[in-house]
Amino acid sequence: MTVPVTNIKEAISFAGFVVIGLNFLICGILINFFQLLLWVGLKPMSSTLYHKINYYLTYAVWGQMEFLAEWWSSSTCIVYTDDKTWAKMGSEHAILLLNHSYEVDWLFSWFLCEHVRMLGSAKAFVKKSFKKVPIIGWTAFFSESAFLERSWEKDKSILENQIVNMSNCPDPVMLHVFAEGTRYTPEKHAASVEFAQKSGFPPLKHLLVPRTKGFVLSVEKLRGKFPAIYCATMVFDTKEGAAPVFKSLVLGRPIAAEILVERIPLEDIPEDSEKIANWLHENYHHKDKMIDIFKTEGKFPTSIPGHHFEGPIRSHYRPRRLWTLLTIAITSFITLPTVCRAFYSLFCSGIVNVMIGVVLLGLVIFALLKLMDLSSASKGSEYGHSPRAKAD
């Protein structure tokens, strides 16, 4: 991935991102090491204490990434829901059912979690290969997200174990479920439409046909433990904000996210597995309709008859909290003076050391761009070329 810089302001922004990223790499590795010690030494003795401490360690990593959205680029995330739902968010275990349409939608789902004070307890179902990614994948592992192989025979037991662990967490958990299983691209959408037509489902215009097995198992195992599902439909206003890609955040271009959230009590979801699967398909058709309305009218509707909204749908937004800014400030105070002295010594100690410094700086930039590249749509899993959908 390259980051084209078009003016001096963006060049300064990218240089600042490199400094922030260097801090993220150093602190992330140190935090992961400490999490490993707690995983081995504390978790077997006291799972509750482990989760309490790890909440803040996880926040220290995710908060640095959220800083890019909240403070570095001054992006916004407006939530549309009724007042009662907005008041409940953050006070209960919940499944967050999201569409997976954009490069940064997962980061803005964290933005939503930060709004409701749940960033440190955000968990997700992610690809097993993600576990190997330094810092991001390792933090997800220690925070007990579920890593899946896209093989139901292998994934079923993994999901069962992880779901039980999540339900036992002492703090409210927001379990992110991107039921499509991969990010939207035109090629994947074409395969999704073909699959829908062969399977007798109405094709979706803006989304992919969701995978049902993992969601069905989650509902079955979490019934009575998680009170609700938050059905979230995320879109980005590209007229008011920049393109929803990581490059925009890095270069300080504000992104404008808007999320429609409907709270559905888990007890209202059917109990039969086939009916749960049908409910999920219907929910994604509803999401597809809401996205179509937003693209046509430029806004979500203020009322949706026949759904679970307890009052008018209004926009809700909380001012940026200082915690993500303080996370960057504190970690930078710890790491950057030492790093600056090290680079200063290299650049002032002869041509060989200068070359070593340049190489090290280049490696830092390469590592940061590589981490950004993990969010590229082309890196997502294939759609319609595996046994996935036929069994769903």
Side-chain angles (χ1 to χ4, degrees):
M1 175 182 288
T2 58
V3 181
V5 176
T6 59
N7 54 53
I8 294 176
K9 180 181 177 181
E10 291 186 349
I12 295 173
S13 294
F14 182 70
F17 165 74
V18 172
V19 175
I20 294 170
L22 180 59
N23 175 66
F24 174 76
L25 292 175
I26 296 171
C27 284
I29 294 295
L30 292 174
I31 290 171
N32 287 162
F33 178 70
F34 191 46
Q35 286 177 311
L36 175 61
L37 296 179
L38 293 176
W39 179 274
V40 174
L42 179 61
K43 190 172 184 291
M45 295 185 293
S46 175
S47 177
T48 299
L49 183 57
Y50 170 82
H51 285 116
K52 285 289 186 181
I53 297 174
N54 194 58
Y55 174 94
Y56 295 101
L57 295 175
T58 300
Y59 186 93
V61 177
W62 295 159
Q64 291 186 63
M65 299 189 68
E66 194 57 37
F67 170 85
L68 281 177
E70 280 194 302
W71 294 93
W72 190 252
S73 66
S74 297
S75 296
T76 57
C77 180
I78 299 175
V79 179
Y80 292 85
T81 190
D82 60 274
D83 292 342
K84 289 185 178 180
T85 295
W86 184 242
K88 287 179 179 177
M89 293 183 73
S91 64
E92 59 183 357
H93 289 314
I95 296 173
L96 184 64
L97 185 60
L98 292 141
N99 54 300
H100 201 4
S101 307
Y102 307 94
E103 185 174 304
V104 294
D105 50 15
W106 61 273
L107 183 59
F108 278 81
S109 71
W110 286 357
F111 207 144
L112 171 61
C113 289
E114 174 65 4
H115 266 323
V116 297
R117 283 59 168 167
M118 294 183 74
L119 181 58
S121 58
K123 306 180 190 300
F125 296 156
V126 293
K127 293 183 294 184
K128 185 179 180 180
S129 58
F130 194 64
K131 189 190 297 186
K132 300 177 182 178
V133 178
I135 304 174
I136 302 174
W138 298 345
T139 302
F141 171 79
F142 290 121
S143 66
E144 297 184 313
S145 288
F147 294 88
L148 308 179
E149 297 189 33
R150 305 291 167 83
S151 168
W152 181 243
E153 290 74 19
K154 298 177 181 178
D155 290 341
K156 184 178 180 181
S157 60
I158 295 172
L159 281 172
E160 288 176 339
N161 292 333
Q162 291 301 99
I163 287 171
V164 170
N165 290 337
M166 292 176 190
S167 64
N168 292 330
C169 286
D171 295 304
V173 168
M174 188 73 86
L175 173 59
H176 292 55
V177 177
F178 295 91
E180 292 155 286
T182 185
R183 188 176 304 120
Y184 178 100
T185 66
E187 295 77 16
K188 294 172 188 175
H189 182 252
S192 172
V193 170
E194 181 182 355
F195 169 75
Q197 292 171 341
K198 290 179 178 178
S199 304
F201 299 125
L204 300 173
K205 185 177 179 181
H206 305 287
L207 303 173
L208 307 179
V209 174
R211 304 167 188 254
T212 60
K213 286 187 174 181
F215 178 78
V216 170
L217 182 64
S218 299
V219 171
E220 291 174 343
K221 295 296 181 181
L222 293 175
R223 195 184 298 275
K225 299 174 181 177
F226 275 39
I229 295 176
Y230 292 115
C231 295
T233 303
M234 184 182 296
V235 296
F236 290 90
D237 187 347
T238 53
K239 293 181 180 179
E240 295 294 328
V245 294
F246 250 110
K247 292 177 184 177
S248 298
L249 300 177
V250 169
L251 298 177
R253 302 168 185 166
I255 296 174
E258 304 193 16
I259 309 177
L260 177 67
V261 178
E262 178 183 6
R263 183 187 184 276
I264 301 177
L266 207 61
E267 62 187 21
D268 289 356
I269 307 299
E271 294 190 8
D272 178 75
S273 59
E274 185 176 345
K275 291 181 179 179
I276 296 174
N278 289 335
W279 181 92
L280 181 64
H281 284 294
E282 291 171 3
N283 183 269
Y284 267 73
H285 278 282
H286 173 67
K287 288 180 184 293
D288 201 57
K289 182 180 178 181
M290 293 300 101
I291 293 173
D292 200 56
I293 290 174
F294 185 90
K295 289 181 177 291
T296 302
E297 302 179 7
K299 60 182 181 179
F300 288 120
T302 56
S303 64
I304 306 175
H307 285 260
H308 289 74
F309 293 103
E310 300 182 60
I313 300 172
R314 301 193 306 109
S315 63
H316 296 81
Y317 179 80
R318 290 190 177 124
R320 294 179 295 185
R321 298 206 300 162
L322 288 175
W323 293 113
T324 52
L325 180 61
L326 287 174
T327 299
I328 286 289
I330 293 171
T331 55
S332 297
F333 178 79
I334 295 171
T335 63
L336 291 185
T338 301
V339 172
C340 289
R341 284 194 295 269
F343 273 102
Y344 179 80
S345 298
L346 285 173
F347 285 116
C348 296
S349 304
I351 188 64
V352 174
N353 286 336
V354 169
M355 293 177 65
I356 292 174
V358 170
V359 170
L360 289 175
L361 188 59
L363 289 174
V364 168
I365 295 174
F366 174 80
L368 293 172
L369 295 179
K370 195 67 176 176
L371 285 176
M372 290 170 54
D373 196 37
L374 292 170
S375 69
S376 172
S378 63
K379 302 296 181 183
S381 65
E382 293 185 348
Y383 188 97
H385 298 284
S386 69
R388 47 92 48 220
K390 297 173 184 173
D392 281 358

